[in-house]
Amino acid sequence: MATDDPTHHQLSTDPELADWRVLLGRLCTRYTTGDMATGAELVARVAEVADRLDHHPDIDLRYPHVSISTVSHDVGRLTARDRRLAVAVSDVARDLGLRAVPHDLAVLEIALDAMGPDALSPFWAAVLGYAPEPDHELADPAGRSPRLWFQQLAEPRTGRGRFHLDVTVPHDVAPERVAAALAAGGRLVTDEYAPSWWVLADDEGNEACVCTWQGRGGGDEDGVED
């Protein structure tokens, strides 16, 4: 990592990035717009800023809101360029009088427990139309559908599902999300790895992980003060 690259912890505690959250190695935000015209204006203004900075985010325009995420694709991580762009985008949104709702964000991944990921990966790439990526991952080339990744098993596992869902949420939302899942009838399988992830299950044993960036190498610090 370059010495001037901000860590995930630094980005998560940066007062100029209050609109943003780190999710799966990307800086992400969402602004409520209330109508398509306002959203389109935000997108146009962000496009101008991106061209000026020569750093371009991914943008999802919907009727009530606009979601924006950025990562430095050429190096595959967050850099000072992403921070600079995020601050500029926040300035544009503030000028338009828009409210950020980063707590509404989440990113879904699908995990498949496997004894031989290398043997299974070509099938799932073909059936999903996905492209292979490092570390036993498959990704939608258009970036629209959830990633599929393979969890290497040391031995065959029976009596439970082979698929589970990973739901990555803002670090300051995770405890609330876990509590809501437990209140809805779920059970805690383990919190051994928290705050990186909590493993939960429904009444029939189907599992899901609530995940954050914390403790995943995005900085030396595992926690962030709310």
Side-chain angles (χ1 to χ4, degrees), residues 78-99:
L78 289 168
T79 69
R81 288 173 286 162
D82 299 294
R83 183 194 179 280
R84 186 162 53 248
L85 175 66
V87 170
V89 169
S90 292
D91 288 342
V92 168
R94 190 177 305 110
D95 184 56
L96 293 173
L98 301 180
R99 180 172 65 95

Side-chain angles (χ1 to χ4, degrees), residues 144-172:
R144 302 292 299 177
S145 298
R147 284 175 174 262
L148 173 65
W149 68 279
F150 298 89
Q151 180 167 275
Q152 177 69 58
L153 294 178
E155 59 186 28
R157 184 177 293 167
T158 59
R160 52 165 287 182
R162 297 288 296 277
F163 279 101
H164 72 269
L165 303 182
D166 287 339
V167 185
T168 298
V169 300
H171 66 275
D172 48 349

Side-chain angles (χ1 to χ4, degrees), residues 9-90:
H9 181 270
Q10 289 170 334
L11 293 168
S12 297
T13 56
D14 190 326
E16 292 190 279
L17 297 177
D19 293 355
W20 299 77
R21 296 295 184 274
V22 178
L23 299 177
L24 288 180
R26 303 176 69 94
L27 263 179
C28 306
T29 191
R30 177 176 293 168
Y31 292 100
T32 56
T33 56
D35 58 68
M36 188 65 75
T38 302
E41 182 178 2
L42 173 62
V43 171
R45 294 274 298 272
V46 170
E48 292 175 358
V49 167
D51 283 342
R52 186 174 72 248
L53 297 177
D54 194 25
H55 194 58
H56 301 89
D58 291 332
I59 303 176
D60 183 18
L61 169 63
R62 304 295 175 100
Y63 181 83
H65 60 251
V66 173
S67 302
I68 305 170
S69 66
T70 179
V71 68
S72 296
H73 293 283
D74 57 332
V75 293
R77 63 176 181 269
L78 289 168
T79 69
R81 288 173 286 162
D82 299 294
R83 183 194 179 280
R84 186 162 53 248
L85 175 66
V87 170
V89 169
S90 292

